[in-house]
Amino acid sequence: MSTLLLALAVVSTGLYAGMMLIFLTGIMPALARVNDEQFVTTMRRINEDVPRGVFVTTMFASVLFPVAALFVGPEGGRTATQLWLLIGGLALTVLNHTFTAGGNIPLNNALAASETAGTPDAEVRAAFESRWNRLHVFRTLFAVTGFALVVASALV
């Protein structure tokens, strides 16, 4: 059971980190090249569609499986190195979610609210894009590094 939970921790943190990395390296650079109306409209639609089933499941799994792996260790226990790597990976994943909840989600909500407020797209984009991207760099670093630590805990 402990091997399965650790494998699920690796898979879930990897999937989540991959999504963060795709946004950082592909989606946001592509959106940077479109006009204000296209950017604002596209981000609104992304923010409506992304936080649903698969994404939310993966997001929660990236915390739940490492926690479960910590509590259901192999017979004989984990080494101190394995334990600290897994705890470090979990902590960085939680830090990612904290940045998401405290930074990116409020920006996403403000972007959604601007649709009915009649604010010009150039102003909406100026208030959103650079702040969202800056926060996203940090949460991507946390997610990718957290994934690497969870993988390392499974390999040592």
Side-chain angles (χ1 to χ4, degrees), residues 4 19 21 28 53 60 68 86 90 92 95 98 107 117 121-122 132 146:
L4 175 61
M19 177 145 184
L21 193 59
M28 296 314 291
F60 285 122
L86 190 53
L90 175 60
L92 288 171
L95 192 55
T98 302
L107 288 170
D121 290 331
W132 194 95

Side-chain angles (χ1 to χ4, degrees), residues 3 23 25-26 28 31 40-41 54-55 59-60 72 79 95 99 110 112 114 116 123 138-139 143 151:
T3 302
F23 258 86
T25 62
M28 296 314 291
L31 288 178
V40 170
T41 300
V54 173
F55 176 77
M59 185 181 82
F60 285 122
V72 181
T79 67
L95 192 55
F99 264 65
S114 72
T116 58
E123 287 180 36
F138 286 105
R139 66 186 191 149
V151 169

Side-chain angles (χ1 to χ4, degrees), residues 50-69:
V50 168
R52 293 189 183 180
V54 173
F55 176 77
V56 171
T57 300
T58 304
M59 185 181 82
F60 285 122
S62 70
V63 172
L64 294 176
F65 285 125
V67 166

Side-chain angles (χ1 to χ4, degrees), residues 31 34-45 110-130:
L31 288 178
V34 301
N35 68 42
D36 295 337
E37 179 185 2
Q38 292 167 330
F39 176 88
V40 170
T41 300
T42 301
M43 281 305 298
R44 284 179 181 141
R45 300 302 82 86
L111 182 69
S114 72
E115 191 164 19
T116 58
T119 310
D121 290 331
E123 287 180 36
V124 172
R125 184 177 190 169
F128 177 86
E129 185 176 21
S130 65

Side-chain angles (χ1 to χ4, degrees), residues 69-123:
L70 280 171
F71 288 105
V72 181
E75 196 170 307
R78 298 195 189 284
T79 67
T81 301
Q82 288 171 319
L83 186 64
W84 284 112
L85 288 168
L86 190 53
I87 290 170
L90 175 60
L92 288 171
T93 301
V94 169
L95 192 55
N96 164 285
H97 295 335
T98 302
F99 264 65
T100 299
N104 294 84
I105 290 175
L107 288 170
N108 293 346
N109 292 341
L111 182 69
S114 72
E115 191 164 19
T116 58
T119 310
D121 290 331
E123 287 180 36

